[in-house]
Amino acid sequence: MSDPSEMTSQALAAIGQAQSNTELERIELEYLGRKSGKVSAMLSNIGRLAPAEKAALGKAANEAKRAIEGALVARRAELEQARLADLAETEAVDITFPGPPLDRGHVHVLTQVRRQIETVLESLGYQVELGPEVETEWYNFEALNLTAGHPARESWDSFYFSPELLLRAHTSPVQIRAMQRLKEPPIYIITPGRVYRRDPAEATRLPYFSQVEGLAVDKGLTVGDMKGTLLYMIQSLYGRERKVRVRPSYFPFTEPSFEFDVSCGICGGIGCKSCRHKGWLEVGGCGMVHPQVLRNGGIDPTRWNGYAWGFGIERMAMLKHDVDDIRLFYEPDLRFIEQF
Ligand SMILES: [Zn+2]
C-alpha cells in the first residue's frame, strides 16, 4: 500500500504537467477511478485494520481525493484559458460575430418601366403577348406590308442569320402571331420585348433596345380611341398634367400613320433646353392598322379594324427619369442603376 501523501503529490505533479483534457481524463481515471483507481486501491484492505487506523486511512484517502479533484478543475480551467488566448491571436476575425447585412438589390429601371406600362394597359383589358427574338423575314417585314425591295425596310435593317432568318427589328411580328393564334377579335394585346437594329451605339440609339407595342382589333375603332388609350397610359406613367398629340407620318403597316408626342415635363410645353424649345418630346409611332396587315394576320378587314402603336421602353424611361444617354441603361454602373 502506497503512502497517501506521496501518491497525492505524484498525482498533482502529473496534473500540473498535463497539456490536454485527454491527458487529464486519463489521470483522473488512474487515481479516482471507482474500481481500479489508486485511491480506491488504497482502501481495499481497510477491513483488516484496527478501528483507529481505519479512521486515519479513511481520512487520508478523502483528503487525497479532494486534493486531486481540486487540481483537475484548476488545470482544466488553465488549459481552456490558454486555448482562448491562442485563438484570439491566430483568429483576428471573430467568426462568431454576425456579419453585415447583404444588399438585396432591385429590378432594373427598364424592367420597372416595362412593368408599369404592362400594369396600366392590363387595367384597360390588354394582355401581354411574347414572341421569338429570332424571326423569319416574312414575320419581320412581309407580313407588315414591308415587301421585298420596299425602301422603308432600310429603317428596320437588322442582323441576318440567313436570308430568311434574322433578329427581329421590332416586336410587330408578335402582333401578326397573336392575330393568327387568337383568330377572332376583339383582340387587345401589348408586346414588350427586345429588338435589334443595325445602328451604332450612340447617346440616342443602340443596336439593341426594348419595345412595347400595342394592338387593338375590334369593330369601328377610331383614331380617337387610340389617342385616348395612349393619353391614359402617358398620364398614368408621367402625371395628369401631361398632354399628348399626334402628327401625320408614314409607316407601311398603318394607314393613316402618326408620330406620337408628349408635352415636355420640364417646361410644361412652353419650350426649354430639354425639349429643344419645342415643348414636345417624341415617344414613338402609331396609326390605324393597314388592311393588308390584318389580312396577313388572318383577320377580315371588311369586318374588323384596328389601331397599333410602338414605343421604345428606353425612350419612355429616359422621359420619365430625365436620362440623356440611352447607353447608361446597359452599363453595369451601380451609381446609375441604384438611383431607381
Ligand atoms: Zn421643355
Side-chain angles (χ1 to χ4, degrees):
M1 186 182 68
S2 59
D3 174 16
S5 68
E6 202 189 310
M7 183 197 67
T8 305
S9 46
Q10 274 173 8
L12 297 189
I15 290 166
Q17 280 163 19
Q19 292 304 319
S20 67
N21 282 324
T22 322
E23 261 183 86
L24 289 175
E25 269 164 37
R26 190 186 52 72
I27 295 165
E28 181 168 23
L29 201 66
E30 184 185 338
Y31 288 91
L32 303 180
R34 203 174 288 260
K35 281 178 184 161
S36 56
K38 287 184 175 169
V39 176
S40 301
M42 202 167 78
L43 299 171
S44 58
N45 296 324
I46 200 166
R48 279 190 252 136
L49 298 174
E53 287 178 306
K54 252 187 207 175
L57 187 62
K59 192 170 172 256
N62 261 334
E63 277 169 2
K65 194 181 167 207
R66 240 176 274 134
I68 294 167
E69 277 172 350
L72 284 168
V73 169
R75 186 62 186 154
R76 282 197 173 111
E78 268 175 33
L79 288 178
E80 178 63 9
Q81 205 57 47
R83 191 185 69 83
L84 289 177
D86 226 35
L87 206 62
E89 246 173 57
T90 53
E91 304 277 334
V93 176
D94 181 355
I95 55 165
T96 65
F97 195 80
L102 290 172
D103 285 341
R104 292 196 60 195
H106 59 75
V107 295
H108 191 271
V109 58
L110 289 179
T111 308
Q112 292 175 25
V113 172
R114 175 176 58 75
R115 286 185 184 171
Q116 285 162 3
I117 296 166
E118 288 173 2
T119 303
V120 170
L121 285 151
E122 277 168 349
S123 77
L124 292 177
Y126 283 75
Q127 286 183 10
V128 174
E129 285 278 331
L130 302 174
E133 291 184 19
V134 175
E135 262 300 357
T136 64
E137 196 268 346
W138 190 84
Y139 277 104
N140 193 66
F141 290 124
E142 209 81 18
L144 296 155
N145 224 12
L146 282 147
T147 43
H150 197 297
R153 275 202 186 196
E154 293 255 313
S155 318
W156 289 273
D157 203 9
S158 181
F159 304 92
Y160 286 78
F161 297 100
S162 72
E164 286 81 37
L165 218 55
L166 69 158
L167 288 171
R168 67 181 180 191
H170 39 194
T171 56
S172 313
V174 186
Q175 296 189 26
I176 303 290
R177 289 178 179 279
M179 284 190 276
Q180 289 177 335
R181 188 173 60 79
L182 297 168
K183 290 187 175 74
E184 195 65 13
I187 294 170
Y188 288 88
I189 58 157
I190 51 168
T191 64
R194 181 72 66 87
V195 301
Y196 305 84
R197 302 273 172 93
R198 199 172 287 195
D199 283 328
E202 291 170 354
T204 53
R205 56 185 183 166
L206 286 172
Y208 46 84
F209 62 99
S210 323
Q211 258 193 342
V212 56
E213 295 187 343
L215 170 71
V217 181
D218 209 328
K219 276 201 160 75
L221 292 174
T222 68
V223 172
D225 295 324
M226 176 184 74
K227 207 178 156 184
T229 302
L230 292 176
L231 175 67
Y232 178 77
M233 177 176 80
I234 291 297
Q235 291 191 338
S236 302
L237 291 172
Y238 298 132
R240 293 292 298 274
E241 70 287 352
R242 292 299 186 102
K243 297 184 208 57
V244 300
R245 74 174 184 188
V246 292
R247 288 179 288 122
S249 184
Y250 170 76
F251 303 112
F253 30 76
T254 44
E255 181 60 37
S257 303
F258 307 95
E259 297 290 344
F260 182 82
D261 297 340
V262 178
S263 62
C264 174
I266 292 171
C267 63
I270 304 161
C272 68
K273 218 178 110 187
S274 186
C275 58
R276 297 207 199 109
H277 305 283
K278 287 180 192 160
W280 296 91
L281 301 157
E282 266 181 50
V283 181
C286 56
M288 303 306 287
V289 182
H290 195 289
Q292 185 57 41
V293 174
L294 290 177
R295 239 174 258 128
N296 292 340
I299 307 282
D300 180 359
T302 62
R303 293 179 60 208
W304 310 96
N305 78 337
Y307 57 78
W309 47 270
F311 300 163
I313 294 177
E314 289 81 358
R315 177 85 184 135
M316 298 190 79
M318 287 166 89
L319 295 182
K320 188 174 172 69
H321 297 295
D322 284 319
V323 176
D324 60 3
D325 192 328
I326 194 170
R327 290 169 293 193
L328 289 168
F329 291 120
Y330 291 95
E331 282 169 8
D333 188 343
L334 288 177
R335 290 171 304 174
F336 175 78
I337 291 166
E338 283 177 346
Q339 289 177 46
F340 307 100

